[in-house]
Amino acid sequence: MRVLVTTNMYPTAERPAFGIFVARQVASLERAGMAVVVETVSGHRGAADYWHARRRIARQVREFRPDLIHAHYGLTSIPSAGQGVPFVVTLYGDDINGQSTGRGRITFKSRLSVLATQLLNLAAARVLVQSEAMQSRLWPSARARSDVVPSGIDEDLFSPRPRGEARQHLALPSEGWVLGFVNSGGQPTKRLDLAQATAAELERRGHKVTLLVAEKVSVAEMPWYYRASDCLLMTSDLEGSPNCVKEALACGTPIVSVPVGDVPQVVDSAERGRITDRNPAALADAVADLLGTAPVALDTVPPSLLPPRLRSGAVAMQLREIYAGVLAQRQRAVSPAGSLPGEAG
């Protein structure tokens, strides 16, 4: 099977973590035996490239002859649709949830982008979303052609190591609780303020706490941040299927989260963490409950907590089945009624 991946986010030398989850999915598809070519859209070229990229994608279709196109992010459908081969699109969160200035206020520009995404979804053979919450936001016709396919996690990179070793690596104190927090891009919707208030509440109660904020951290260093943490805090206003939650679980680190995105479906047991209300007192209660009942020795390698369905290989197999279904449907559409493929004429 030949797949042309179009994406507005993909790692570069200047931004090695930008769209790294798309690159990892491409690698998992290749390991599953598929031939994949990647065409980047927009990015450093600017927003106008959503239109200019049509010629580059058309050339890839002529030369690579893909069976289908897999567009990543809603607006990437603009140059991917109408290229003579079926396309599927993966939505990641902002493209269907909208972007916020903080505390749930969606910007006007983002509302227009969401509307464009909903219209573009009408042309897609399948619409893939990160969570059931995102799926519920789709217009009915797209929802009927949708699948929930979160990004898979590479367990070769995100794997457990002793907590003490990780703390030494990051020069962190061995005493007290370390609460991890991923502040990707410093977006207001990540709610660093709520994580800080939670840490302050725990300190007020007499706990020794270090809030370990990961921002502008290299790809190679991120696993150490998860491994060093007793738990990961997730306090965002808006999410699809946050990769940091799955990456932390793969490193053996449980989660304390507000109910956002698909986190309640991922953190589905007491072993994997706690889901609680969106306020510092409730989050502090959940941290104390989790860490007070299940402390991990610093010299112990904890088990991976990642659900098997979220391993990169499992997601690649799910995508392969979706692709095969799209191609089978296309074959039925072009075959004359009552005949089998190859019998016409």
Side-chain angles (χ1 to χ4, degrees):
M1 190 179 298
R2 302 167 73 82
V3 181
L4 172 58
V5 166
T6 58
T7 177
N8 68 350
M9 44 191 167
Y10 210 72
T12 63
E14 296 76 22
R15 303 175 71 186
F18 183 56
I20 187 68
F21 44 88
V22 180
R24 288 172 182 152
Q25 186 173 104
V26 167
S28 71
L29 294 176
E30 290 174 332
R31 288 194 296 269
M34 287 171 261
V36 185
V37 165
V38 177
E39 181 65 50
T40 58
V41 177
S42 188
H44 68 278
R45 298 185 181 96
D49 196 54
Y50 284 118
W51 303 101
H52 300 325
R54 288 194 63 83
R55 283 182 292 181
R56 297 198 308 276
I57 293 172
R59 184 175 64 249
Q60 292 284 15
V61 169
R62 290 194 304 270
E63 296 175 358
F64 178 54
R65 301 179 66 83
D67 295 299
L68 54 75
I69 296 172
H70 188 163
H72 290 260
Y73 198 79
L75 295 184
T76 310
S77 295
I78 293 172
S80 304
Q83 294 284 3
V85 293
F87 83 97
V88 301
V89 59
T90 290
L91 307 181
Y92 282 94
D94 290 349
D95 40 9
I96 196 69
N97 294 330
Q99 290 184 331
S100 169
T101 56
R103 302 182 187 276
R105 295 186 294 274
I106 307 300
T107 66
F108 177 72
K109 179 180 178 182
S110 182
R111 290 180 190 277
L112 292 178
S113 179
V114 170
L115 176 60
T117 294
Q118 294 277 28
L119 290 168
L120 290 162
N121 289 342
L122 301 178
R126 301 296 296 180
V127 180
L128 313 184
V129 293
Q130 303 294 305
S131 67
E132 293 177 0
M134 289 176 62
Q135 193 175 38
S136 70
R137 291 177 178 268
L138 298 174
W139 288 352
S141 60
R143 195 182 312 139
R145 293 175 286 104
S146 67
D147 300 276
V148 177
V149 186
S151 298
I153 300 302
D154 180 0
E155 292 184 287
D156 289 334
L157 177 62
F158 297 100
S159 59
R161 296 282 286 272
R163 199 142 289 157
E165 178 187 356
R167 292 190 184 181
Q168 286 182 350
H169 180 84
L170 297 176
L172 293 170
S174 57
E175 305 84 13
W177 291 339
V178 175
L179 311 182
F181 184 83
V182 178
N183 196 36
S184 350
Q187 300 169 340
T189 53
K190 298 299 179 184
R191 297 300 306 275
L192 175 60
D193 62 312
L194 184 50
Q196 291 170 330
T198 301
E201 174 64 17
L202 286 165
E203 289 177 337
R204 188 188 67 78
R205 298 180 187 185
H207 299 287
K208 181 176 175 60
V209 174
T210 299
L211 182 63
L212 179 62
V213 179
E215 187 171 350
K216 298 182 180 179
V217 174
S218 71
V219 173
E221 283 294 290
M222 271 310 303
W224 291 107
Y225 277 70
Y226 299 129
R227 294 165 182 156
S229 302
D230 291 288
C231 71
L232 181 79
L233 287 179
M234 167 54 62
T235 55
S236 296
D237 287 330
L238 295 170
E239 290 286 352
S241 178
N243 285 312
C244 63
V245 166
K246 295 173 283 187
E247 291 166 354
L249 291 173
C251 292
T253 300
I255 312 300
V256 171
S257 177
V258 298
V260 65
D262 72 342
V263 181
Q265 287 74 51
V266 174
V267 182
D268 57 1
S269 68
E271 180 186 36
R272 291 189 172 112
R274 305 286 188 273
I275 306 296
T276 191
D277 294 336
R278 188 186 294 279
N279 64 75
L283 286 160
D285 287 343
V287 170
D289 179 60
L290 174 67
L291 302 185
T293 57
V296 175
L298 294 180
D299 59 351
T300 299
V301 179
S304 171
L305 299 173
L306 184 70
R309 65 183 176 83
L310 296 176
R311 295 170 181 163
S312 60
V315 173
M317 290 299 100
Q318 185 181 3
L319 287 171
R320 189 184 189 103
E321 291 177 6
I322 291 169
Y323 297 161
V326 167
L327 298 179
Q329 183 178 25
R330 178 178 174 84
Q331 184 62 52
R332 288 193 297 269
V334 301
S335 297
S339 68
L340 295 174
E343 290 186 344

